[in-house]
Amino acid sequence: MGKEDVSQQLMDDYWQRIENIKQALGPQLDQLEVSVANSSLEHGIWVLGEDHFVGEVLNDIGLQRPLSQRGDFFYIDDISIEKLSNIDGDVLFFVSMGRGQDEEYQEKLQEDSLWQKLNAVQNEQVYFVDGYWQEAGSILAINAVLDDIEKYLIDES
């Protein structure tokens, strides 16, 4: 399409943002475990893996993932309430698609005693983020994810 220069500029901008985030996170970069989970009424709870575009962005930054979320997979679904610890981390980004029934499901989930035991919950490090975290990885979605990472991991620290 003759837009190689635009594409290259977008990639250069992405890598510059990644470097800026790494610098801003400093020493916590190697210690912070970041979890990304989602839920819906019909599909229950799932985590996004390292093969998902969000996992790739987190890897590019150098952020650690909880042991249950490491490996070559796109997502792990059907996580039961009893295995809720699989979504835990130092920080939990919880994706919300904005559908009413899913919001109700998440509210019910947050009332569960096992939710209350998660480290991220106890340390008030749960951030509800929009559906672009689940999207197909467009440059707009990637930049919105980076905005959230800066907002919650840098600006609030």
Side-chain angles (χ1 to χ4, degrees), residues 5-155:
D5 56 332
V6 173
S7 174
Q8 186 59 52
Q9 185 60 52
L10 290 170
M11 290 303 301
D12 291 346
D13 291 348
Y14 170 78
W15 286 110
Q16 184 59 55
R17 281 192 83 182
I18 294 295
E19 287 305 313
N20 291 344
I21 290 170
K22 285 180 179 183
Q23 292 287 326
L25 288 171
Q28 70 175 332
L29 184 65
D30 296 327
Q31 303 161 350
L32 197 62
E33 286 190 345
V34 177
S35 176
V36 183
N38 198 344
S39 70
S40 69
L41 182 61
E42 58 270 1
H43 299 293
I45 304 163
W46 67 93
V47 294
L48 303 180
E50 291 181 335
D51 284 351
H52 189 278
F53 92 89
V54 166
E56 292 177 5
V57 169
L58 295 175
N59 282 340
D60 287 346
I61 294 170
L63 288 164
Q64 305 302 307
R65 302 296 299 279
L67 189 57
S68 63
Q69 296 176 32
R70 295 179 192 165
D72 295 331
F73 61 88
F74 196 75
Y75 65 89
I76 296 176
D77 63 349
D78 203 22
I79 297 173
S80 67
I81 294 293
E82 295 77 22
K83 300 240 181 204
L84 203 55
S85 62
N86 287 341
I87 73 166
D88 203 5
D90 297 318
V91 173
L92 170 59
F93 287 104
F94 206 91
V95 181
S96 175
M97 300 303 284
R99 299 181 327 169
Q101 62 192 13
D102 296 340
E103 300 290 332
E104 292 172 19
Y105 181 80
Q106 287 178 2
E107 288 172 12
K108 184 177 177 185
L109 178 63
Q110 291 173 59
E111 294 171 3
D112 193 283
S113 62
L114 292 175
W115 172 271
Q116 297 300 321
K117 291 180 181 179
L118 296 176
N119 290 327
V121 172
Q122 292 180 358
N123 294 321
E124 298 180 359
Q125 297 294 305
V126 178
Y127 304 107
F128 291 90
V129 293
D130 290 329
Y132 48 80
W133 280 67
Q134 185 71 35
E135 299 296 323
S138 73
I139 192 64
L140 296 175
I142 290 169
N143 278 313
V145 167
L146 292 174
D147 289 344
D148 284 344
I149 290 170
E150 290 173 334
K151 176 180 177 181
Y152 296 118
L153 298 186
I154 297 169
D155 295 345

